[in-house]
Amino acid sequence: TDSTDSVSTSTRGRGKSAKKTRGSAASTTVAIDTDYEAVLLDIEGTTTPISFVKEELFPIFSKNVADFLKKNWTTEETQADVQCLREQAEADIKAKVKGAVAIPSSGTPTQIQRAAVASCLWQTSINRKSGPLKQLQGHLWKYYYESGDIKGEMYDDILPALKRWKKEGTPVYIYSSGSRAAQRLIFGYSDKGDLRPYLSGYFDTKSGAKVEAASYENIAETIGIDDISKLLFCTDMMNEATASTEAGVNTVMFLRPGNGALPPDHGLPTATTFQSLF
């Protein structure tokens, strides 16, 4: 499956004159390698404050999922979403996952909806990132983004960086555990305007888990990077950075307000703004 959703395969580099490394106040003793051909960005904790996701997006979903299912129950999209949740629940129950909630295939709409909501709230409570949950979240958030009730919160340095990468011909991709639909929403309806024209494509967990090295190898192959070390990945999560580094990706850890602390001996370059990447 092509998991890039209309990904551009252009990988024009930053030129042979690009600096090899950058040491700055934003980095550790490990210098940032700025000789890259494409950029892969995490969202939460990198482009967007963690607080926006945890304190706005997730609560909107939890508070409104029951009403959303009820209002849209007869649509093909909602029925497909519930079926995916049902199949996930069946697999969880078979695997004896603690807390899994069965979603019946028969019964009244109210009974099925209650079970689906219970399953969603359980998954949300444990910060689970299952595909079916992310899919339904994306569909619900779409309604609130389009109505103007939500605007994706971005750090102030993201737009200048995107403009500079665009000018330099450096393609920028997003890799998030959230669905590609949800990714397009947060950038399309951001508080910095529609940022989608600056992005070349989107990747989610259909490309593989973010904590697996093979996922980054798959992404590099998909976007046409011959030398995986020329792919720059920015994240705030140590387990993701470990996987990308294992794959040979040029990785930078982002230190944003509210992000988790990193182990003192992580050995990777760090940055507090995108300006450090140029």
Side-chain angles (χ1 to χ4, degrees), residues 38-182:
V39 179
L40 186 65
L41 300 176
D42 169 49
I43 297 178
E44 185 179 349
T46 302
T47 68
T48 298
I50 290 176
S51 59
F52 170 74
V53 178
K54 292 186 175 180
E55 298 173 14
E56 186 164 353
L57 282 185
F58 285 170
I60 283 176
F61 176 78
S62 297
K63 292 177 182 177
N64 295 284
V65 62
D67 187 55
F68 182 80
L69 288 177
K70 183 178 180 180
K71 288 181 177 179
N72 297 279
W73 187 247
T74 59
T75 66
E76 291 185 8
E77 180 177 85
T78 296
Q79 287 298 309
D81 287 346
V82 173
Q83 179 58 27
C84 289
L85 286 167
R86 181 181 292 117
E87 292 172 359
Q88 178 70 61
E90 291 172 352
D92 288 342
I93 291 170
K94 185 177 181 179
K96 298 182 179 180
V97 176
K98 185 179 180 180
V101 180
I103 302 174
S105 57
S106 61
T108 67
T110 299
Q111 291 172 330
I112 300 173
Q113 289 165 25
R114 284 176 178 171
V117 170
S119 176
C120 289
L121 295 181
W122 163 66
Q123 293 188 66
T124 302
S125 71
I126 61 173
N127 196 29
R128 195 176 190 192
K129 304 180 185 297
S130 72
L133 175 65
K134 294 297 181 182
Q135 180 172 292
L136 178 58
Q137 285 176 330
H139 292 152
L140 182 147
W141 288 329
K142 182 175 186 288
Y143 171 81
Y144 287 94
Y145 276 115
E146 291 180 345
S147 66
D149 291 329
I150 306 177
K151 281 192 177 295
E153 185 178 349
M154 298 285 156
Y155 284 112
D156 290 338
D157 59 324
I158 182 64
L159 182 55
L162 290 175
K163 287 182 175 179
R164 183 165 176 177
W165 280 318
K166 188 79 169 180
K167 183 178 180 180
E168 293 179 348
T170 303
V172 180
Y173 303 88
I174 303 300
Y175 185 26
S176 172
S177 57
S179 68
R180 286 172 289 159

Side-chain angles (χ1 to χ4, degrees), residues 208-270:
K210 296 181 75 178
V211 296
E212 296 177 359
S215 304
Y216 299 89
E217 295 169 354
N218 178 35
I219 289 172
E221 182 177 356
T222 300
I223 64 179
I225 294 286
D226 293 325
D227 181 354
I228 199 170
S229 69
K230 299 301 182 183
L231 176 61
L232 174 67
F233 176 52
C234 302
T235 182
D236 67 306
M237 297 298 293
M238 194 66 232
N239 54 359
E240 296 174 6
T242 299
S244 62
T245 301
E246 181 183 340
V249 174
N250 177 7
T251 303
V252 175
M253 298 296 302
F254 261 70
L255 307 178
R256 300 286 201 182
N259 287 4
L262 299 177
D265 57 348
H266 61 79
L268 291 171
T270 63

